[in-house]
Amino acid sequence: QLEESGGGMVQIGGSLRLSCAPSTPTDINYATGWFRQAPGKEREFVAAIRWSGANKYYGPSVRGRFTISKDHARNTVYLQMNNLKAEDTGVYYCGADKSGRGSGPFDNFGRGTQVTVSS
């Protein structure tokens, strides 16, 4: 199970950094993906990173504004979100791809962390 943290309220144009880490120690070399879900909408792919950290993938709506990264020492994946827009509002989840490749499928999602972007 993964755990997300770092959400909050921010103004349009602001920044937030989300964190994703396993709730218990694990030796599985999984890739990590971030997804989000806005009220009344389906879950949307945001970004993913391979276990190695060498390859990163982004959804079209966040490319150029969000950056996914990994701290191997902390076994933590971060999602740096800059130039936030109102449409970035939603619950953000991180999941694991046990193949390590980052192409899915993803599971072991946490409870999510709320991001609210307002004027």
Side-chain angles (χ1 to χ4, degrees):
Q1 188 89 23
L2 298 179
E3 290 184 347
E4 307 89 348
S5 62
M9 296 184 64
V10 64
Q11 290 188 328
I12 292 172
S15 298
L16 280 175
R17 189 179 76 161
L18 306 183
S19 300
C20 171
S23 57
T24 56
T26 177
D27 57 0
I28 298 175
N29 296 340
Y30 57 89
T32 303
W34 282 100
F35 296 78
R36 67 186 181 189
Q37 189 164 21
K41 295 187 177 181
E42 293 187 355
R43 187 172 291 190
E44 174 190 13
F45 170 76
V46 175
I49 187 168
R50 284 197 176 198
W51 165 252
S52 65
N55 296 85
K56 305 173 184 181
Y57 311 95
Y58 296 96
S61 62
V62 306
R63 192 172 292 122
R65 300 187 297 122
F66 290 12
T67 302
I68 191 169
S69 62
K70 182 171 185 177
D71 183 334
H72 280 277
R74 291 181 167 83
N75 199 15
T76 298
V77 170
Y78 301 100
L79 184 68
Q80 178 66 43
M81 306 186 296
N82 297 329
N83 190 23
L84 283 161
K85 304 176 181 181
E87 51 264 42
D88 294 318
T89 295
V91 180
Y92 284 68
Y93 302 88
C94 63
D97 168 8
K98 297 180 182 65
S99 77
R101 292 189 294 269
S103 56
F106 293 88
D107 57 18
N108 293 106
F109 290 97
R111 296 179 181 179
T113 186
Q114 176 71 44
V115 172
T116 302
V117 185
S118 64
S119 56

